[in-house]
Amino acid sequence: MGGKPALTGILCIGCAPVGTKRRGGPGGLNKVCGVSPELQAIVGEPALPRTEIVKQLWAYIRKNNLQDPSNKRKIICDDALRIVFETDCTDMFKMNKLLAKHIIPLDPNKGSSQAKRLKTDVESTNESTESGTSPIIISEALAEFLGTGGREMLQTEAIKRVWEYIKGNQLEDPLNSMVILCDAKLRELLKCESISALGIHEMLARNHFFRKS
DNA sequence: CGACTGCTTTAAGTCCCACG
DNA sequence: CGTGGGACTTAAAGCAGTCG
């Protein structure tokens, strides 16, 4: 339909001779995000860019004829979709909203626009560990938690593995995936019963990441 | 009247520009 | 120079508006 050419048109304005003003780029929605186990059953991958997740979801919807014939914007949920969206039918616009619950930022440091607002706070916490792209020393407790031999790794890798543990053990609060319910092992590491996604990063940065000296 | 274009919605990350 | 705001990115289908 007309949607894509419209965007292309806007793009062309953006690409005006004044200067190749290209925003967005490889990040943004193209950033790889974690996929909840429920959604994984549909898209078939544990981690995908948001755009790919939507694409795979639409492929699944078409393959299974889940569009309402009278209004193709409407999606009729089958069992798998019902588990994901928690509704019998939805539409293409609401779908994106519902999808958000099942898309988990692999790097919770920059997980949301809320995080963006808190960016300065968090970054000040990060001063001790820099940006996450250079190796850091992790605490003995975290090394034990991750089951790694060494204590040197990328900050992003450490965070990623903590999140893998959380997802693997389904520790996300079903009512709010931004809240993590700690099991015994995680409780020992973080010293709390539950914690927010942002809180985990802050906690790790404060108590478990150390700059290489 | 038909063909085509542009806007609609939604998410979150990135980057540019304007302003203080 | 630092910060904040806003534009841009993706996907989809339908509707409204414009033009020939």
Side-chain angles (χ1 to χ4, degrees):
Chain A
M1 292 295 167
K4 286 207 70 185
L7 289 172
T8 313
I10 294 168
L11 265 178
C12 290
I13 295 166
C15 299
V18 184
T20 348
K21 189 170 147 187
R22 184 132 167 78
R23 292 179 180 174
L29 297 189
N30 293 317
K31 185 182 175 181
V32 176
C33 299
V35 176
S36 74
E38 297 88 354
L39 189 55
Q40 225 177 100
I42 293 168
V43 300
E45 295 285 340
L48 281 173
R50 177 180 284 270
T51 52
E52 276 299 312
I53 294 171
V54 175
K55 207 188 280 183
Q56 293 293 326
L57 201 52
W58 273 105
Y60 176 87
I61 289 165
R62 289 207 202 89
K63 186 180 162 191
N64 294 283
N65 292 315
L66 299 177
Q67 283 173 289
D68 187 336
S70 61
N71 183 356
K72 290 195 167 185
R73 290 186 186 191
K74 281 197 175 179
I75 313 295
I76 301 157
C77 300
D78 65 356
D79 291 341
L81 279 181
R82 201 175 296 124
I83 292 169
V84 175
F85 294 144
E86 294 168 327
T87 181
D88 287 335
C89 66
T90 182
D91 63 55
M92 59 190 283
F93 298 135
K94 286 178 189 165
M95 185 175 82
N96 276 302
K97 196 174 181 178
L98 294 166
L99 213 47
K101 293 180 184 175
H102 296 272
I103 296 175
I104 306 134
L106 290 179
D107 180 3
N109 176 23
K110 299 167 184 177
S112 67
S113 55
Q114 287 179 331
K116 188 183 176 181
R117 282 188 209 102
L118 295 170
K119 198 179 170 188
T120 42
D121 292 345
V122 176
E123 278 181 353
S124 66
T125 313
N126 284 350
E127 279 174 11
S128 60
T129 55
E130 295 185 346
S131 63
T133 53
S134 51
I136 50 152
I137 303 296
I138 61 173
S139 71
E140 203 172 317
L142 183 56
E144 197 175 319
F145 177 85
L146 297 176
T148 64
R151 288 178 56 190
E152 183 180 323
M153 67 165 64
L154 292 178
Q155 182 179 325
T156 50
E157 178 63 22
I159 292 171
K160 192 175 159 188
R161 290 177 67 168
V162 170
W163 274 96
E164 278 169 2
Y165 176 86
I166 291 166
K167 282 181 276 174
N169 291 278
Q170 298 182 24
L171 300 179
E172 289 165 297
D173 188 338
L175 300 174
N176 182 357
S177 62
M178 288 302 281
V179 174
I180 310 306
L181 307 172
C182 302
D183 65 357
K185 200 176 164 188
L186 199 57
R187 193 156 51 232
E188 196 178 323
L189 180 73
L190 302 176
K191 312 289 183 201
C192 60
E193 296 288 324
S194 65
I195 190 167
S196 71
L198 282 176
I200 285 188
H201 174 80
E202 215 170 316
M203 178 74 82
L204 291 173
R206 282 214 180 109
N207 303 325
H208 298 284
F209 295 157
F210 306 104
R211 192 198 301 227
K212 286 175 72 184
S213 53

